[in-house]
Structures are given as structure tokens and as C-alpha cells.
């Protein structure tokens, strides 16, 4: 049976992350589209505050596919931002991307006990808009002409993701 | 023969994926922006609701058009 897995990033992973992040299909969906240099990536990793930001690589049958992350974690306000990108274009429309998102949102809401998520998305990033709508995000405000801000409460997430979680558990046979 | 017509299937497909134009009926599935990784999971749930079985992910991936996917559903659904 095919198996999805998730691991926290380590130093050995950061150049793979950089390679993915600099690919056009990833970079062009980001609010910040700058090219990331090798040394800049190393400095970013060394300066990473692991209490407020957590990055994971997700894999499918031992093959690294992409990255999911929780950033701007605020345990006082109980808020965070979630992010995902698929590095390997062979997996762009695969359920493993959704599995990875559900996995970290469950982690954020039920293990870290956070309550609200915010997302900043380019208005022409259709996959991210589809994903976030399905997870239960609601439009909050325009932060620019091309950028929207969205909000997701834990209750909305539980309600919206129920069937998706059932699909991943019962049908794709993955643990969540 | 399935009780679910192609008309009904395509209508529910569009509703669940929130597709507004009519091109999707004849377009290649891979060209429908909403039919991405999340879209395929949503469509598998649509199929489960309409046909009463869970479709294998490979069929969602390999069917080229909505009609081809409908045909798979009719064939698979008969054995359930």
C-alpha cells in the first residue's frame, strides 16, 4: 500500500527546499517571488525560530514531494498561518498534498491547541484558493489588489474537513 | 444501466467544484483548474454520494473527460 509521511526539516533538507521554492511553478504562486540564493537559505534556516515556525517535508512512498509549514505561530493569540507547496511536478494534483495539509492543520489545532489560522493568497492562485475554501477558510479582506486575506477557525475546519479526512483515512488508507 | 444520468452527474460535478462555465462538460479533465488534488477528493465524494461506491484514485487520475469518468462510474457502480 502506498504510504505518505511527514518529517520536520533538517539542515540536510534546506537546499532541496530552496530548489523547489525557486521553481517557477512554486515561486510564481508566492507573494514574495524573489530568487533564493544558497547562502540566504542557510541563513534563513539558522535564524529560524522553531517556536513560531515549523517546516515539514512530505513524502510519498519514500519520495520527497513538497513542503508544508506553520508560520507566525502565536501561542498567546492562538493563531498561525499555514502554507504548502508541491515541489515535485509529478505530484501536483495528487491527494498527498491534501494529506500533508490536513496532517499539519490537525497538529496545529489539536496538538498545539491553536484556534485560528490566517492565510494570504494571490487571487490568481486557483489551487490554493480551492484548497483553502475546502478547508473552511473564509475571505477576510483585500490586503492588495492581487492579494486576499483569509481566516479559518477551528470549528469551521472541523466541519469543512470532515469528509476529506474520512476519504484520506478510509479510502487512501492513511493515518492522520 | 446506472440510475444516475450524465446530466445529473455533470451538474453535481460542477456544483461541488463550483464551476460556473459550461466548458467542463467536454474539456479534458486535466484542463479544468478546479480538478486539482483537492478537486479529485471532492469528486470522489460526489461519486460516492451519487453511485454509492468509492472510486479508485487511479480512475480519477486517468479518465480524460467527464464522459469517460461517468462511464467508469457506471461500470464500477454496477458491481456494487
Amino acid at each position: 500500500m502506498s504510504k505518505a509521511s511527514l518529517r520536520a526539516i533538517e539542515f540536510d533538507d534546506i537546499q532541496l527546499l530552496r530548489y523547489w521554492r525557486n521553481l517557477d511553478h512554486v515561486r510564481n504562486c508566492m507573494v514574495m517571488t524573489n530568487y533564493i540564493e544558497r547562502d540566504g537559505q542557510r541563513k534563513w534556516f539558522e535564524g529560524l525560530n522553531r517556536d513560531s515556525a515549523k517546516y515539514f517535508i512530505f513524502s510519498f512512498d519514500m519520495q520527497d514531494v513538497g513542503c508544508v509549514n506553520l508560520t507566525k505561530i502565536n501561542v498567546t493569540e492562538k493563531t498561525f498561518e499555514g502554507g504548502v507547496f508541491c515541489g515535485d511536478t509529478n505530484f501536483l494534483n495528487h491527494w498527498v498534498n491534501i494529506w500533508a495539509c490536513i496532517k499539519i492543520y490537525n497538529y496545529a489545532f489539536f496538538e498545539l491547541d491553536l484556534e485560528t489560522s490566517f492565510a494570504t493568497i494571490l487571487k490568481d492562485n486557483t489551487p490554493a484558493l480551492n484548497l483553502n475554501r475546502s478547508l473552511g477558510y473564509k475571505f477576510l479582506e483585500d490586503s492588495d489588489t492581487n492579494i486576499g486575506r483569509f481566516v479559518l477557525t477551528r470549528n469551521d475546519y472541523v466541519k469543512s474537513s470532515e469528509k476529506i479526512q474520512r476519504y484520506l483515512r478510509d479510502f487512501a488508507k492513511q493515518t492522520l | 444501466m446506472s440510475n444516475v444520468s450524465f446530466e445529473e452527474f455533470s451538474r453535481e460535478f460542477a456544483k461541488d467544484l463550483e464551476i460556473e462555465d459550461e466548458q467542463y462538460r467536454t474539456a479534458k479533465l486535466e484542463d479544468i483548474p478546479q480538478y486539482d488534488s483537492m478537486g479529485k477528493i471532492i469528486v470522489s465524494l460526489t461519486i460516492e454520494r451519487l453511485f454509492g461506491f468509492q472510486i479508485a484514485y487511479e480512475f480519477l487520475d486517468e479518465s480524460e473527460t467527464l464522459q469517460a469518468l461517468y462511464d467508469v462510474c457506471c461500470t464500477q457502480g454496477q458491481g456494487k
Side-chain angles (χ1 to χ4, degrees), chain B residues 6-70:
Chain B
F6 178 70
E7 278 302 308
E8 182 182 2
F9 176 62
S10 56
R11 193 171 55 241
E12 293 298 305
F13 176 93
K15 190 181 81 180
D16 288 351
L17 290 184
E18 300 187 21
I19 298 172
E20 290 174 356
D21 67 58
E22 291 293 314
Q23 306 286 330
Y24 72 93
R25 289 174 188 261
T26 52
K28 284 192 168 184
L29 289 175
E30 67 182 15
D31 293 333
I32 300 173
Q34 293 88 343
Y35 195 69
D36 55 15
S37 47
M38 180 60 88
K40 287 176 186 171
I41 292 178
I42 289 170
V43 169
S44 81
L45 296 168
T46 306
I47 291 168
E48 185 183 26
R49 186 177 76 241
L50 294 175
F51 293 89
F53 75 99
Q54 289 187 322
I55 190 167
Y57 194 82
E58 289 70 29
F59 290 121
L60 295 169
D61 235 9
E62 292 166 6
S63 298
E64 289 193 359
T65 62
L66 193 58
Q67 180 68 55
L69 182 59
Y70 172 73

Side-chain angles (χ1 to χ4, degrees), chain A residues 32-50:
Chain A
M32 303 291 287
T33 57
N34 58 309
Y35 183 87
I36 298 171
E37 302 287 350
R38 188 178 184 84
D39 198 45
Q41 183 77 343
R42 186 180 54 75
K43 286 178 182 161
W44 164 78
F45 183 75
E46 287 170 355
L48 202 57
N49 179 340
R50 283 158 181 75

